[in-house]
Amino acid sequence: MSASFSHIRDLDCSPATAWRLLTDPAQMNRWSTAPIRLSDNGIGERPDAVGALRTVTLPRGRARLREVVELTEYPYRFVYRVYDGGPLLLEHRGEQRLEARPRGCRLTWTVRLQVAGGLSRVLARVIGRQVGESLNALERIAAAEADVPDPGPAADRPGAPTADELAALRVPAVQALRGQTAIADRFAADDDPKVWFARVYQYVTTEMLNVQGLRNPDWLLALIPVFDRFYTENLQRYEDGDTPSAAWQRAWSLCEREDRAHPERPVIRGLLAGVSAHIDDDLPRALAQVHRDRYPDRDLREFRPDYLRLAPVFSAASDRLLAELPRSHKPWWTPIATRVHPQVRDDLLGRQGFHVGRQRLTAFASAAAAVSVR
């Protein structure tokens, strides 16, 4: 069950001034009880723009919340989401609304959160109390703050795609999924151990095609076939005895190994190597290519909120694969994994050799550097 809290404060300053105090980490540290660090700017090199990343350290350093700015309507609406708050935090979304008043402005700050273990209401009360204490300090600062001319962050999403445009983009994405399914089916028919990674990749694409609520669904649909091309080309080279990338050479080689005493070990090693090749090698190139081909006039960081929202597809795909693995090929921890939340399991798996969440962030940063958004 989720829980929420809201604070309403009348501030003796303009909405633009309140916006600066509320959204710039350098200003937020003047009143917040929780230290805030800017991890990366968003669109236009601004800390208050879509795609910006920041880290909030809760009082006493007990936990860190990593946030991404998801939506801005300067100077009246600011939305952020915690994309990484530890394995127990399942949801955390904040929205700040500013309304001009005859004397200053009114702030409405709403947070909705959910944690594992049924402790959502307890955590909401704790964080809500801390936010309230911070806002007491903000009120005092706002009353003495001078207005600073600022045009605000640029609007993201220049134009939403039409239904016809999305339908056209979906055709090659679905074709890519059919090809991935055919590859996995072929491996299964041949009793080829490469089937396990091929199948999980098929499931990842399936989950991506079912994702809802993205602000830029056209971007995701355009990414799928480009991503697929790197995968299929490297597989073809490997099967032809040619030279795939070093990461894919290692991945496919590990996938083909067998261990009669512990058949689950090569499965997991092959999967981790395949995921590494997929994320570390192919993903940055696919992101950069799609950006150059379709969105050269837009900042790649505009798409970062959508990118971070895709994280659950990897958990969903691995769940499907774990359910299909023969008992002899299941790791010992599989029964435990099915009983805990995917975020807890992913955190534990990350300690075994490859943390998907962290590596996906690195992949995005590499793509952003490649298209020179800074």
Side-chain angles (χ1 to χ4, degrees), residues 208-224:
M208 284 185 170
L209 285 169
N210 292 328
V211 169
Q212 301 293 320
L214 299 183
R215 285 176 56 78
N216 301 280
D218 53 316
W219 170 79
L220 175 59
L221 291 173
L223 180 64
I224 288 173

Side-chain angles (χ1 to χ4, degrees), residues 87-284:
L88 298 181
L89 184 63
L90 311 181
E91 176 192 3
H92 188 295
R93 181 181 184 273
E95 179 171 351
Q96 297 165 333
R97 288 183 176 269
L98 292 164
E99 175 189 356
R101 309 283 284 182
R103 294 185 59 181
C105 64
R106 172 164 291 179
L107 164 66
T108 303
W109 186 345
T110 303
V111 171
R112 177 169 294 279
L113 57 84
Q114 182 180 2
V115 295
L119 299 175
S120 300
R121 291 184 179 179
V122 174
L123 185 61
R125 284 197 296 269
V126 172
I127 296 180
R129 183 171 59 250
Q130 293 169 351
V131 171
E133 294 173 359
S134 296
L135 291 181
N136 292 337
L138 174 63
E139 284 184 296
R140 295 190 293 270
I141 291 172
E145 198 73 6
D147 285 340
V148 176
D150 185 357
D156 65 317
R157 202 182 185 197
T162 66
D164 287 345
E165 289 171 335
L166 289 176
L169 285 168
R170 194 172 182 85
V171 171
V174 171
Q175 289 175 341
L177 174 59
R178 289 172 181 162
Q180 294 163 18
T181 304
I183 289 171
D185 289 348
R186 171 166 63 88
F187 286 157
D190 295 341
D191 200 23
D192 188 323
K194 293 195 293 296
V195 65
W196 305 121
F197 178 76
R199 195 65 82 189
V200 80
Y201 184 26
Q202 169 198 336
Y203 293 155
V204 166
T205 302
T206 302
E207 295 296 329
M208 284 185 170
L209 285 169
N210 292 328
V211 169
Q212 301 293 320
L214 299 183
R215 285 176 56 78
N216 301 280
D218 53 316
W219 170 79
L220 175 59
L221 291 173
L223 180 64
I224 288 173
V226 175
F227 209 1
D228 173 74
R229 186 162 66 250
F230 294 137
Y231 164 71
T232 55
E233 286 177 353
N234 275 289
L235 176 58
Q236 189 64 55
R237 291 193 191 104
Y238 182 80
E239 293 186 319
D240 289 346
D242 202 347
T243 306
S245 71
W248 278 114
Q249 177 68 42
R250 177 176 180 274
W252 291 127
S253 298
L254 286 175
C255 285
E256 290 183 332
R257 293 183 182 178
E258 296 184 7
D259 184 336
R260 294 185 182 278
H262 299 281
E264 78 285 356
R265 292 179 180 175
V267 171
I268 297 304
R269 290 167 184 162
L271 282 172
L272 289 175
V275 171
S276 175
H278 192 59
I279 293 178
D280 294 341
D281 271 30
D282 291 357
L283 186 52

Side-chain angles (χ1 to χ4, degrees), residues 40-46 49-53 219 284 287-292 295-304 363-374:
D40 192 19
N41 280 316
I43 299 171
E45 300 300 337
R46 293 185 60 111
V50 166
L53 301 178
W219 170 79
L287 289 168
Q289 182 172 323
V290 169
H291 194 75
R292 293 190 189 102
Y295 310 100
D297 298 328
R298 292 164 71 175
D299 192 321
L300 178 60
R301 289 169 294 189
E302 177 187 338
F303 304 97
R304 182 150 52 192
F364 192 94
S366 297
V371 297
S372 302
V373 298
R374 292 172 172 77

Side-chain angles (χ1 to χ4, degrees), residues 36 39 58 62 67 69 94 129 132 183-184 205 230 264 271 315:
I36 297 142
S39 302
L58 297 183
R62 291 177 179 174
E67 301 174 345
V69 178
R129 183 171 59 250
I183 289 171
T205 302
F230 294 137
E264 78 285 356
L271 282 172
S315 296

